[in-house]
Amino acid sequence: MTKNAELAAWVEQVAALTQPERIQWCDGSDAENASLIDLMLAQGDLLRLNPETHPNCFLHRSDPKDVARVEHLTFVCTEDAEDAGPNNNWLAPAEAHAKVDPLFEGCMRGRTMYVVPYLMGPYGSPYARAGVEVTDSPYVVANMRIMARIGTRALEHIEAGNSFVRGLHSTGDLDPERRFIMHFPDELLIMSIGSGYGGNALLGKKCHALRIASAQARREGWLAEHMLILGIESPAGETRYIAAAFPSACGKTNLAMLVPPAEFAGWKVWTVGDDIAWMHLAEDGQLWAINPEAGFFGVAPGTSLKTNPNCMNTLGRNAIYTNVAVTEDLQPWWEGIDGDKPAVLIDWQGRPHDPDNGPAAHPNARFTVAASQCPSFSPQGEAPQGVPISAIVFGGRRSSVAPLVFEALDWSHGVFAGAAMASETTAAATGKVGQVRRDPMAMKPFCGYNFGDYWAHWLGFGTRSAKLPRIFHVNWFRKDADGKFIWPGFGDNMRVMAWILARCDGKAEAIKTPIGFVPEPSDLKLDGLDLDRKAIQDLLSIDPQVWQQEVDQIEEYFASFGSRLPQGLRDQVARIKAALEAQLAA
Ligand code: OXD
Ligand code: MN
């Protein structure tokens, strides 16, 4: 229960609508968690994994039709369709309520309704924001407990008079026909029904910390972004921070936990966050970032001691796995994990694994685990003021076109580079995998308002401070003529990050091209890397003709934002076109 009248009234109203058998206010305690786990074990919602190898770890197998975010069923509900923009599915709030409210009628009959107060951001941070998720899923409560700061202290924050986002969630009957994820930015309300999957159901994450928060951030002058935050400590002991946006399942968790290669002796990477950054311009003119989350909800397939040792060393205890396969002795298993594939496996749907049924683990199988367990978790990971950002990095998954790295010429050009991002789709959302689509700032699925206004908001920072981070664009995913990735990625991405930081210090060379500053092979520290000169030249090459086509496509995409497209981006298109023409004429 609560002293906050607004919250008490809302919970009462929701209970009248959904008619749960009982209401449980969650305090976030260990005892409460233990009883939820016991309940889910008894109900078969969780399976205890091998306690010797994976203490306090559990497997959840979701409904097979509920395994990813559902972008086509996700709506931003503003009075004016233009405010949601062509980047969102839109419904007028009244229409959205008419569609979704009846689905909640009596949906919790016979179930417990959990009331979960939560805080996004470290306790005591001036940038932290509260929410309350009401859900009928104990799996959601157990995951929220890892991903956010839930319970008594969050409730106290609300009772101290701070505003909160209301999130109503029910798994409903899991029928994809009756599944909706609705956002009402003006009401600070989220309504999600018919899915138990992370991004659809853990409402603090994408729904609150990105869609609702991005709209608040615009109004209030800050940024809520789909970005990891990492710190890089030099051998001299100085740590600089980078925020980097990549679309879902494109390696944010791996980059956030990077282990530098042997050639970078004495360097260390610190993880602040792997998915979301809230960034504020502070009085010192710098952009400071907090990670609003407290845990990682990462993609398991492809994670191994080779690709991400820090992650593997985070995952072995106190973790919830979703839709991974298991070995005979109940250890979690997925494609790309270390070791040989065991002869006997139970697949993600609980069947004996048969390769004819597809991979043993779902390609979007996930782990949920506390950030504080990560060996590289930054000592500043809970700092109330966050960390100062020296560089912002945008990156897509492009098998061609985009070079390994370039630096934007200035802030406005950097905003263009982010806005022009494109990436091949992944299994993190339902729909076709591998299709190139525009994914500006990796926010296509997450920006809670019109991208035209969002880019104007970003451009506006250019006049607010002279100490903004430099902006870069990377592409780890370029392929050769045989379709193989050219760049080794993972730990070797440190070579690119080191160039980025050296550029920030004015200590690294680059050549100026129409699309930005690009290093020459000799500007990157490549010793110890098994990559021939031709490959590295290919990686850094910019084909002006290919880029002319790219800029035409970007221009066409921008045009879909009509009068909301800021002039600053039109100017960038014109400048790059002219520069490419001049280069081709030379
Ligand atoms: C995520 C996503 O879960 O981006 O972080 O899909
Ligand atoms: Mn994400």
Side-chain angles (χ1 to χ4, degrees):
M1 295 300 276
T2 178
K3 296 188 288 222
N4 182 302
E6 184 194 343
L7 176 55
W10 179 62
V11 169
E12 210 171 287
Q13 178 203 328
V14 163
L17 177 70
T18 59
Q19 298 177 19
E21 190 172 300
R22 53 186 286 272
I23 300 176
Q24 181 172 333
W25 286 75
C26 294
D27 61 13
S29 65
D30 289 347
E32 174 184 88
N33 186 53
S35 77
L36 285 172
I37 298 284
D38 285 347
L39 174 77
M40 287 188 278
L41 288 168
Q43 289 175 344
D45 286 340
L46 286 187
L47 180 74
R48 187 181 292 280
L49 294 172
N50 188 323
E52 309 260 292
T53 59
H54 291 78
N56 202 28
C57 286
F58 303 92
L59 167 66
H60 172 73
R61 292 193 184 111
S62 78
D63 182 285
K65 292 195 287 300
D66 184 29
V67 292
R69 283 183 291 100
V70 281
E71 294 180 8
H72 61 298
L73 301 172
T74 300
F75 289 80
V76 169
C77 309
T78 47
E79 290 298 344
D80 183 348
E82 279 291 298
D83 290 335
N87 45 303
N88 281 301
N89 300 313
W90 171 83
L91 278 174
E95 218 184 315
H97 277 297
K99 211 179 188 51
V100 83
D101 293 6
L103 300 179
F104 282 95
E105 274 169 23
C107 70
M108 296 191 190
R109 260 185 220 127
R111 301 182 186 177
T112 299
M113 179 172 114
Y114 301 96
V115 182
V116 188
Y118 64 86
L119 199 64
M120 302 307 292
Y123 291 120
S125 168
Y127 307 132
R129 300 276 167 132
V132 178
E133 176 161 359
V134 168
T135 177
D136 54 10
S137 163
Y139 167 80
V140 163
V141 181
N143 276 271
M144 280 292 285
R145 181 168 186 270
I146 298 173
M147 295 306 298
R149 290 135 180 113
I150 73 164
T152 309
R153 287 183 74 182
L155 186 60
E156 281 166 10
H157 182 93
I158 292 168
E159 289 177 339
N162 293 295
S163 74
F164 62 97
V165 170
R166 294 168 298 152
L168 172 55
H169 169 256
S170 169
T171 49
D173 56 11
L174 291 177
D175 182 343
E177 296 296 313
R178 281 190 288 276
R179 181 174 296 163
F180 290 105
I181 325 295
M182 301 282 194
H183 302 75
F184 301 90
D186 297 335
E187 293 175 61
L188 291 188
L189 174 68
I190 304 155
M191 293 179 84
S192 165
I193 188 150
S195 168
Y197 172 75
N200 303 328
L202 311 179
L203 300 185
K205 191 174 178 61
K206 303 300 187 181
C207 301
H208 177 165
L210 286 177
R211 296 194 193 97
I212 297 284
S214 62
Q216 291 180 306
R218 179 191 172 212
R219 282 196 297 275
E220 298 166 11
W222 51 285
L223 292 165
E225 298 299 323
H226 192 205
M227 289 181 177
L228 66 93
I229 309 164
L230 57 73
I232 299 184
E233 185 179 333
S234 71
E238 192 200 354
T239 304
R240 252 101 44 86
Y241 297 89
I242 295 177
F246 295 81
S248 309
C250 288
K252 280 199 299 300
T253 306
N254 293 336
L255 185 59
M257 298 178 191
L258 181 151
V259 176
E263 294 73 23
F264 285 79
W267 291 80
K268 187 148 184 18
V269 169
W270 296 106
T271 310
V272 178
D274 81 329
D275 196 43
I276 300 179
W278 285 355
M279 300 193 286
H280 292 76
L281 210 48
E283 271 174 16
D284 65 0
Q286 296 191 87
L287 209 50
W288 287 70
I290 60 161
N291 169 15
E293 300 192 280
F296 307 126
F297 179 66
V299 179
T303 309
S304 68
L305 285 171
K306 190 161 159 276
T307 61
N308 192 341
N310 278 325
C311 191
M312 291 305 282
N313 291 326
T314 307
L315 282 181
R317 59 199 195 282
N318 313 318
I320 300 175
Y321 293 86
T322 302
N323 292 339
V324 299
V326 282
T327 61
E328 253 180 320
D329 64 344
L330 291 179
Q331 296 194 48
W333 191 91
W334 50 80
E335 279 70 17
I337 201 172
D338 307 275
D340 295 333
K341 185 172 180 178
V344 177
L345 279 173
I346 307 297
D347 78 5
W348 66 278
Q349 297 191 60
R351 307 169 298 192
H353 173 51
D354 173 353
D356 288 346
N357 289 333
H362 188 276
N364 193 35
R366 298 278 178 150
F367 51 79
T368 319
V369 69
S372 57
Q373 281 192 192
C374 181
S376 58
F377 187 56
S378 166
Q380 296 303 309
E382 302 264 334
Q385 76 281 10
V387 294
I389 299 297
S390 298
I392 287 176
V393 177
F394 294 117
R397 181 187 282 267
R398 293 297 295 268
S399 47
S400 61
V401 185
L404 179 64
V405 59
F406 66 84
E407 182 190 346
L409 303 179
D410 54 28
W411 179 262
S412 299
H413 178 227
V415 175
F416 166 86
M421 259 170 76
S423 195
E424 290 152 26
T425 50
T426 68
T430 55
K432 266 210 165 134
V433 166
Q435 309 268 300
V436 175
R437 73 163 178 180
R438 294 281 148 204
D439 193 350
M441 280 84 169
M443 284 286 278
K444 164 72 188 78
F446 308 121
C447 182
Y449 64 103
N450 190 317
F451 261 154
D453 300 333
Y454 170 74
W455 297 323
H457 179 49
W458 263 86
L459 286 168
F461 279 79
T463 53
R464 288 173 59 193
S465 168
K467 290 196 196 149
L468 293 171
R470 295 212 196 184
I471 302 183
F472 298 80
H473 185 285
V474 301
N475 177 20
W476 316 136
F477 299 96
R478 199 135 157 182
K479 289 185 178 164
D480 64 15
D482 299 329
K484 287 213 204 74
F485 290 118
I486 309 177
W487 180 247
F490 304 108
D492 286 311
N493 292 337
M494 178 67 197
R495 300 169 190 278
V496 174
M497 302 314 264
W499 180 79
I500 287 175
L501 286 181
R503 286 293 295 172
C504 293
D505 289 345
K507 287 192 187 144
E509 296 300 317
I511 30 177
K512 189 172 176 186
T513 77
I515 70 153
F517 295 109
V518 181
E520 294 209 76
S522 57
D523 298 323
L524 296 174
K525 184 171 162 61
L526 298 173
D527 48 316
L529 199 60
D530 183 17
L531 203 64
D532 61 36
R533 203 172 164 84
K534 157 99 180 53
I536 187 72
Q537 260 156 0
D538 285 350
L539 277 170
L540 295 172
S541 69
I542 289 158
D543 180 334
Q545 264 152 354
V546 169
W547 270 89
Q548 275 187 325
Q549 286 166 22
E550 179 74 5
V551 176
D552 284 346
Q553 283 164 20
I554 294 166
E555 191 175 26
E556 197 180 307
Y557 173 68
F558 281 175
S560 65
F561 294 89
S563 61
R564 299 261 179 148
L565 181 72
Q567 184 59 35
L569 290 190
R570 289 180 218 272
D571 295 345
Q572 291 297 325
V573 169
R575 185 196 58 74
I576 297 168
K577 277 187 157 184
L580 286 166
E581 253 165 55
Q583 187 183 359
L584 281 164

